[in-house]
Amino acid sequence: MQVSNGAVSENAIVTITLNDVVEENIYNRDAFLQTQEEVNEFGANNYTRINGMFFIGKWENNGYSDIVDLSPLQTLNYVRDGLYIQFNELLTTTSGLENLEHVIRFEVRSNPALVNVVGFNNLEDIWAGVSIRDNSVLSNFDGLSNLKTIGSSLFLNKNYSMSNLDWLSNLTSIDHGLSIGFSPLITNLNGLSNLVYLGDDLSLTHIDSLNDLSGLQNLTATLGGLSIAENDSLTTLNGLQNLTFTTYLLIYGNDVLTDLTPLLNTSSLRSGFEISLNDSLIDLSFLNNLTNMGGSTSILNNPNLESLIGLSNLTEAGSYFFVRGNDRLTDFCDLQHAFTVGR
């Protein structure tokens, strides 16, 4: 090559190397890795993309894998469909998947030694849902801290060492349902304070230390159903005041719950409600705006329930109505209108 500078020109040799150019290496089918040897062999191919589903671990009812190290997979940046990390008895971290930028579904299930979900900070939008369940010692979820939208549901269940939801602080939208259960260390939902859209049911069950729902106060929506069950420390539903439920209410086994006034927006329930085994509940005034219901209704074994006030505006009570085992309840006068005007 000739290089000139005014009247001076010289020949120069220019060398171009391609060492830093990464060619896309595509695996064009579902990938199933059930042993560490298979992880190593798959990783040796330096795949960058999987055009299908990606399973790391065993199938249900087929024991556990011996996988301990995902670092051979570090060249992978794209999974067209779902990523499933499941039934890995020895895996302690998801480190090795740091370059992953796209999955359509994310599931981490039944990994009894897994402590850290890391390396997924490039994931901001997951279209077909997130499910993290049955990981008894999992405590670090920071790898999902950049998650902004979930196109289906978010399901968190039986992650007994999960102490907070702060890793969800960037999450703004869940198209379908939100379910959190069997997470005894969570005390609040503050990590969901930026959530402004939820498309379907809300379920909070068996969260023994939960005492504050105010993290949901920025959520304004008309939802399907609500399940609040077996939350031993929850005294109030404050935080749900901007929500309206249209399908069902399940309020069950909450020993110290007394304030349900945030449910006053509810006026119609297609499938009825169950209010049972709430030891501190005195009346049903939080249902004062409820006028019609379908399905069945159960008000069972609330030992301190003294009145059905709140149901006096009910004109349609559905097909089945059960009231039983409420020791202090002495009359049903508030139901008179429902059973004389309704069906």
Side-chain angles (χ1 to χ4, degrees):
M1 178 180 292
Q2 190 175 66
V3 179
S4 69
N5 180 13
V8 180
S9 65
E10 294 183 3
N11 291 325
I13 298 174
V14 178
T15 302
I16 300 175
T17 63
L18 300 178
N19 293 338
D20 296 329
V21 177
V22 178
E23 294 184 5
E24 192 167 32
N25 190 8
I26 301 174
Y27 189 80
N28 278 311
R29 54 188 180 275
D30 296 337
F32 303 90
L33 308 181
Q34 300 189 61
T35 67
Q36 184 62 52
E37 182 179 3
E38 290 176 351
V39 170
N40 295 342
E41 291 176 353
F42 190 87
N45 292 290
N46 293 318
Y47 290 114
T48 59
R49 179 183 178 117
I50 296 174
N51 281 338
M53 295 182 291
F54 188 24
F55 289 85
I56 301 173
K58 291 283 190 176
W59 296 103
E60 188 173 8
N61 301 320
N62 196 30
Y64 289 93
S65 84
D66 67 349
I67 296 172
V68 296
D69 179 20
L70 303 183
S71 63
L73 305 174
Q74 60 187 347
T75 60
L76 190 65
N77 60 48
Y78 187 99
V79 175
R80 189 191 64 189
D81 299 326
L83 171 64
Y84 302 86
I85 303 172
Q86 58 184 38
F87 299 102
N88 300 288
E89 187 173 24
L90 305 176
L91 188 67
T92 62
T93 178
T94 58
S95 179
L97 296 170
E98 286 84 358
N99 290 315
L100 196 61
E101 298 177 353
H102 176 275
V103 297
I104 197 170
R105 178 171 174 80
F106 184 91
E107 184 164 332
V108 177
R109 177 188 180 193
S110 299
N111 303 283
L114 185 64
V115 176
N116 299 304
V117 171
V118 296
F120 300 106
N121 298 105
N122 291 321
L123 297 179
E124 296 185 357
D125 308 295
I126 298 178
W127 304 345
V130 173
S131 177
I132 303 175
R133 54 179 170 143
D134 298 297
N135 305 287
S136 57
V137 298
L138 179 57
S139 59
N140 179 9
F141 297 77
D142 290 348
L144 293 169
S145 60
N146 289 328
L147 194 59
K148 295 179 180 178
T149 62
I150 296 174
S152 183
S153 297
L154 173 59
F155 184 75
L156 305 173
N157 193 54
K158 295 185 179 179
N159 301 296
Y160 298 112
S161 299
M162 180 170 63
S163 60
N164 61 68
L165 300 176
D166 294 349
W167 53 282
L168 290 171
S169 61
N170 288 312
L171 186 65
T172 61
S173 175
I174 302 173
D175 281 359
H176 292 167
L178 169 62
S179 178
I180 304 172
F182 292 93
S183 302
L185 301 183
I186 292 178
T187 61
N188 62 69
L189 304 180
N190 293 346
L192 294 170
S193 60
N194 287 317
L195 186 66
V196 295
Y197 180 79
L198 180 65
D200 203 345
D201 300 344
L202 173 63
S203 176
L204 303 170
T205 64
H206 294 89
I207 311 176
D208 297 344
S209 301
L210 183 65
N211 56 41
D212 182 8
L213 305 186
S214 61
L216 295 175
Q217 63 187 352
N218 293 322
L219 183 60
T220 300
T222 298
L223 305 181
L226 172 68
S227 297
I228 302 288
E230 303 284 358
N231 300 297
D232 295 342
S233 303
L234 190 63
T235 61
T236 175
L237 298 187
N238 183 43
L240 305 185
Q241 56 268 26
N242 295 320
L243 302 177
T244 301
F245 299 94
T246 61
T247 305
Y248 67 87
L249 297 177
L250 172 63
I251 311 295
Y252 180 94
N254 304 285
D255 294 342
V256 295
L257 183 61
T258 57
D259 178 19
L260 291 86
T261 52
L263 298 181
L264 279 170
N265 291 332
T266 299
S267 61
S268 177
L269 293 169
R270 293 192 299 273
S271 300
F273 66 77
E274 178 179 350
I275 299 174
S276 301
L277 294 169
N278 301 288
D279 291 351
S280 302
L281 191 63
I282 296 174
D283 63 48
L284 305 181
S285 57
F286 59 93
L287 294 174
N288 193 54
N289 292 317
L290 185 63
T291 59
N292 64 85
M293 292 189 303
S296 64
T297 298
S298 298
I299 304 171
L300 308 174
N301 302 311
N302 301 284
N304 288 302
L305 186 66
E306 299 176 349
S307 168
L308 298 181
I309 187 172
L311 298 180
S312 57
N313 292 319
L314 190 62
T315 59
E316 184 175 351
S319 302
Y320 302 97
F321 206 107
F322 302 96
V323 181
R324 184 175 65 243
N326 304 288
D327 296 341
R328 294 193 177 187
L329 187 62
T330 58
D331 68 66
F332 298 84
C333 295
D334 291 289
L335 294 176
Q336 183 176 2
H337 194 60
F339 290 107
T340 56
V341 176
R343 296 183 296 181

